[in-house]
Amino acid sequence: MRHDQEIQGGEPEWSESVPPLFFEEVLALWSRERTRPKRERTRYMLLSIVARHLRTAPGKLMTVEALLDEAGLSRGTFYNHFKDMDECAAVLVNLFFEHVTLRRTVTKGPRSSYEAILIANIDYCRAYEANAGVYSLFSELATRNPEVLRMRERMNSEWVDRIIAVVARRRGQSFDEEERGRFEGVLRLLIAMTIESLRERFVHGDALLCRSFPTADSLAKALSDQWHYAMAEFERPGTR
């Protein structure tokens, strides 16, 4: 998740010319790289098919049989890599978030708090739109896979900690225990709002959200307005 990029003293360099990340294409590219071991390439090929399926059926895993039919491989090949489709899905979401982290662009120059929030949200919303199926699968897995649930909780906690640290630097004063607790609560609400808004817009295709925010960038702008408004109080030292 890229909201952490926000607000870091140097924010990501962003341009409309940067293409969206379609993760199934990344996996397919890895599967064709001859410098990789054959086993690794086969694994990426299977994962790329699953990711491509998620593009048309967000959050819904295909069966082992359907995967093997499309891959043209034997059943034994699948079980050489994964014990079941749930493990395959968990590997996919872990690889996805690792790649998103490594893909972060070089940071540059100071920006206002609002500009930082907006750029981070634009990047996040574009990535979500391009990979709604993978994000939806991540949320669905978290409801029944304790390891994925812990991963989601850890990511959200790290997201909150990074924002608080950067805001403390911006305002030149650390947070006391009471104020930090309130700020943590506000940030978790903002994160939940953002994730649910993206899921309703790009997974479920909510009619009102589609009309109001026809593009990822327009939704990012609306979300950024809410983030900036809610965070403004904590940018000022000593407020209650």
Side-chain angles (χ1 to χ4, degrees), residues 175-182:
F175 294 94
D176 62 33
E177 185 176 352
E178 178 188 355
E179 192 176 16
R180 181 186 174 94
R182 289 194 305 111

Side-chain angles (χ1 to χ4, degrees), residues 11-28:
E11 290 76 19
E13 183 175 358
W14 169 82
S15 167
E16 290 187 357
S17 63
V18 175
L21 164 70
F22 294 102
F23 193 53
E24 73 268 24
E25 295 176 359
V26 174
L27 291 167

Side-chain angles (χ1 to χ4, degrees), residues 59-124:
K60 297 178 181 178
L61 280 174
M62 62 198 310
T63 64
V64 174
E65 290 73 19
L67 172 57
L68 293 174
D69 284 346
E70 188 163 346
L73 297 173
S74 68
R75 194 173 184 85
T77 302
F78 175 84
Y79 291 108
N80 282 336
H81 293 273
F82 313 104
K83 69 178 182 180
D84 54 29
M85 284 303 295
D86 272 4
E87 183 181 72
C88 178
V91 169
L92 175 63
V93 297
N94 271 283
L95 276 174
F96 174 71
F97 286 112
E98 284 177 10
H99 184 68
V100 167
T101 300
L102 292 173
R103 182 176 174 267
R104 289 172 183 166
T105 49
V106 177
T107 62
K108 72 168 189 178
R111 291 191 175 95
S112 70
S113 178
Y114 181 77
E115 288 172 330
I117 292 169
L118 178 60
I119 290 170
N121 269 327
I122 287 173
D123 192 65
Y124 184 30

Side-chain angles (χ1 to χ4, degrees), residues 166-174 235 237:
V166 172
V167 172
R169 289 200 300 270
R170 282 186 182 278
R171 74 180 199 159
Q173 179 180 316
S174 61
E235 294 268 359

Side-chain angles (χ1 to χ4, degrees), residues 140-188:
E140 196 275 330
L141 283 177
T143 66
R144 54 189 172 84
N145 185 319
E147 183 179 344
V148 176
L149 176 60
R150 286 192 294 272
M151 176 184 172
R152 185 179 71 175
E153 290 174 345
R154 184 182 69 253
M155 290 170 63
N156 286 340
S157 294
E158 291 173 353
W159 188 354
V160 167
D161 288 343
R162 281 191 290 267
I163 293 172
I164 289 176
V166 172
V167 172
R169 289 200 300 270
R170 282 186 182 278
R171 74 180 199 159
Q173 179 180 316
S174 61
F175 294 94
D176 62 33
E177 185 176 352
E178 178 188 355
E179 192 176 16
R180 181 186 174 94
R182 289 194 305 111
F183 196 10
E184 287 176 340
V186 168
L187 290 171
R188 291 306 289 262

